């Protein structure tokens, strides 16, 4: 399913319960453009239409990050980033995964309906084995079961994510079907919700923008840093001279302009006819990204100067979710013969 920023979806009738949406994000560094265009802008928009729960998944991050101080710092930074980008604690619930112990408790129960073969064939597991061969910990294998538990503990039916999460979401649905088949209808099958930019390429123009690849544009970094990252972008590799016509369809810089301003066709034409050079197009993109996120950058600095406020929002979020999580655990335990 794709959700565009405009037009806004129609409001549900007042009497109908609003579908519940859930998403998780790893506290693994400063947010990048791929996170925002691919997922976070949907988090922000959907909080106005749905009951929305957003989780900073520190348990998931433990599968790759083993430095306690770093994880603690990044968890707070991620919370501040999400709030700065527009999550409103009065409109959604933001919390940290490890603050709600029911997630891992439910995960264990779900592992018992999940064949190991499903986990071994997950593409992200295969990638991780290749990327961190010295640290193929069990958490990497079980990762998608914890993700399924995150979603279904609140019986969420919609999950805003980038396209890289498609396989995880499919696995969540399979786990739900396996559980419902064995113990009776309990959980809804969650559906992914994509933006109009479900895969944002990195500065190399080849791979998905990702912290682990190091090809990111960090949207809350300083204007100088953003400029440096944008200027390092690989454009059309066949455009050698300034006077060569470019191929805007394969130029990542031109493609990103689609999301920054309403003159995309003009930019496309300028590049295709060699009226504009790659450097000009990059400078303009850096300027627009800097401007777009200027307010968020200020809010981020403000929030990081008041860490107790951020921690308070996260604690209140986890507290608010307790009754829902406890109710699901009670129901599941009853169905599974645990009480
Ligand atoms: P992560 O940083 O891997 O926890 O990702 C957080 C959210 O951003 C997830 O919903 C991802 O699917 C999404 N995301 C991450 N990188 C990209 C990208 N390059 N393009 C689109 N979405 C992305
Ligand atoms: N695996 C997701 C990622 O890397 C993070 C995540 C954990 C998640 N639990 C989730 C996403 C539940 C959506 C729903 O980005």
């Amino acid at each position: 399913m794709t959700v565009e920023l405009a037009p806004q979806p129609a409001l549900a009738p007042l009497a109908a319960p609003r579908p519940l949406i859930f998403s998780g994000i790893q506290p693994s560094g400063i947010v990048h453009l791929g996170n925002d265009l691919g997922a976070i802008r949907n988090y922000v928009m959907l909080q106005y239409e749905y009951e929305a729960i957003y989780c900073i998944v520190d348990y998931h991050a433990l599968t790759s990050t083993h430095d306690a101080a770093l994880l603690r710092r990044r968890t707070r930074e991620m919370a501040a980033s999400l709030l700065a980008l527009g999550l409103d604690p009065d409109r959604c619930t933001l919390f940290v995964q490890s603050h709600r112990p029911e997630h891992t408790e439910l995960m264990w129960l779900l592992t018992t309906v999940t064949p190991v073969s499903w986990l071994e064939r997950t593409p992200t597991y295969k990638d991780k084995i290749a990327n961190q061969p010295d640290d193929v910990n069990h958490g990497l294998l079980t990762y998608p079961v914890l993700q399924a538990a995150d979603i279904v503990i609140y019986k969420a039916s919609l999950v805003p994510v980038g396209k890289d999460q498609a396989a995880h979401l499919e696995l969540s649905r399979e786990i739900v079907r396996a559980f419902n088949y064995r113990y009776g209808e309990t959980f809804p099958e969650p559906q992914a919700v994509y933006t109009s930019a479900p895969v944002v390429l990195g500065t190399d123009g080849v791979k998905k923008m990702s912290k682990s690849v190091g090809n990111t544009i960090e949207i809350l970094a300083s204007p100088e840093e953003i400029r440096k990252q944008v200027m390092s972008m690989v454009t059309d590799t066949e455009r050698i001279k300034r006077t060569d016509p470019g191929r805007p369809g394969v130029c990542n810089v031109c493609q990103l302009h689609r999301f920054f301003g309403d003159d995309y066709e003009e930019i496309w034409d300028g590049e295709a006819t060699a009226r504009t050079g790659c450097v000009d197009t990059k400078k303009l993109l850096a300027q627009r990204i800097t401007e777009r996120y200027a307010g968020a950058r200020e809010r981020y600095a403000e929030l990081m100067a008041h860490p107790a406020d951020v921690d308070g929002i996260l604690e209140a979020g986890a507290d608010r979710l307790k009754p829902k999580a406890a109710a699901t655990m009670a129901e599941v335990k009853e169905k599974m013969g645990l009480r």
Side-chain angles (χ1 to χ4, degrees):
M1 185 200 296
T2 301
V3 172
E4 297 283 349
L5 280 178
Q8 302 269 324
L11 277 173
L14 278 178
R18 293 188 302 170
L20 209 143
I21 73 164
F22 181 96
S23 197
I25 188 162
Q26 292 200 48
S28 48
I30 288 187
V31 288
H32 58 71
L33 192 60
N35 293 141
D36 190 44
L37 295 183
I40 298 171
R41 64 185 175 134
N42 255 356
Y43 296 5
V44 174
M45 192 188 77
L46 295 168
Q47 71 184 335
Y48 297 105
E49 301 294 334
Y50 298 97
E51 187 177 342
I53 303 174
Y54 300 117
C55 180
I56 300 168
V57 293
D58 53 350
Y59 278 146
H60 280 107
L62 280 177
T63 58
S64 306
T65 306
H66 306 307
D67 177 331
L70 184 66
L71 182 61
R72 205 168 286 124
R73 176 165 66 74
R74 284 181 170 172
T75 299
R76 188 184 278 144
E77 284 172 356
M78 182 51 78
S81 303
L82 293 173
L83 293 166
L85 285 166
L87 290 197
D88 176 351
D90 292 330
R91 296 212 170 250
C92 69
T93 302
L94 178 65
F95 76 113
V96 177
Q97 189 182 35
S98 65
H99 296 181
R100 279 270 43 96
E102 296 85 356
H103 287 232
T104 39
E105 193 182 5
L106 180 59
M107 181 204 75
W108 172 258
L109 304 181
L110 295 182
T111 61
T112 65
V113 299
T114 309
V116 178
S117 58
W118 290 0
L119 301 175
E120 283 171 336
R121 68 164 198 234
T122 308
T124 44
Y125 176 60
K126 292 184 187 161
D127 290 348
K128 282 286 181 181
I129 292 180
N131 291 342
Q132 52 183 70
D134 300 330
D135 183 20
V136 184
N137 58 77
H138 189 272
L140 290 177
L141 186 67
T142 326
Y143 185 111
V145 191
L146 179 57
Q147 179 159 347
D150 293 338
I151 300 167
V152 304
I153 189 122
Y154 305 110
K155 303 201 175 183
S157 46
L158 298 176
V159 184
V161 280
K163 198 75 185 209
D164 59 343
Q165 295 300 309
H168 284 159
L169 259 289
E170 182 52 36
L171 202 47
S172 288
R173 278 194 294 280
E174 284 175 323
I175 292 171
V176 162
R177 283 197 285 270
F179 187 96
N180 288 349
Y181 179 74
R182 193 175 285 173
Y183 295 107
E185 203 58 30
T186 308
F187 301 120
E189 286 185 27
Q191 300 291 328
V193 182
Y194 299 121
T195 67
S196 53
V199 183
V200 176
L201 295 183
T203 49
D204 52 5
V206 181
K207 291 193 176 142
K208 183 196 79 158
M209 188 175 288
S210 154
K211 283 163 268 199
S212 54
V213 178
N215 59 356
T216 56
I217 296 169
E218 295 177 350
I219 51 182
L220 300 181
S222 66
E224 297 73 43
E225 194 56 40
I226 291 177
R227 192 178 157 93
K228 212 162 79 193
Q229 289 169 346
V230 173
M231 295 315 285
S232 79
M233 285 178 79
V234 174
T235 51
D236 175 4
T237 46
E238 285 180 19
R239 190 177 186 194
I240 313 294
K241 295 195 301 298
R242 163 70 180 78
T243 48
D244 291 343
R247 295 172 303 158
V250 301
C251 172
N252 194 22
V253 178
C254 181
Q255 289 307 308
L256 284 182
H257 269 289
R258 280 167 52 208
F259 306 102
F260 296 90
D262 49 16
D263 52 358
Y264 170 59
E265 272 104 28
E266 222 174 284
I267 288 169
W268 174 292
D269 190 59
E271 208 169 311
T273 58
R275 198 175 62 244
T276 46
C278 293
V279 172
D280 306 325
T281 324
K282 284 191 207 179
K283 278 187 186 157
L284 187 61
L285 183 63
Q287 183 196 328
R288 287 181 174 180
I289 292 176
T290 304
E291 279 166 11
R292 165 80 60 87
Y293 294 106
R297 202 170 309 117
E298 262 174 47
R299 284 192 293 278
Y300 178 75
E302 180 69 18
L303 286 157
M304 288 306 284
H306 298 93
D309 293 355
V310 176
D311 294 353
I313 290 169
L314 296 174
E315 267 166 46
D319 287 348
R320 202 181 306 151
L321 293 171
K322 188 174 179 176
K324 238 184 188 108
T328 303
M329 285 315 297
E331 180 188 357
V332 167
K333 284 182 171 175
E334 175 70 33
K335 287 185 168 162
M336 295 181 91
L338 297 168
R339 47 169 85 202

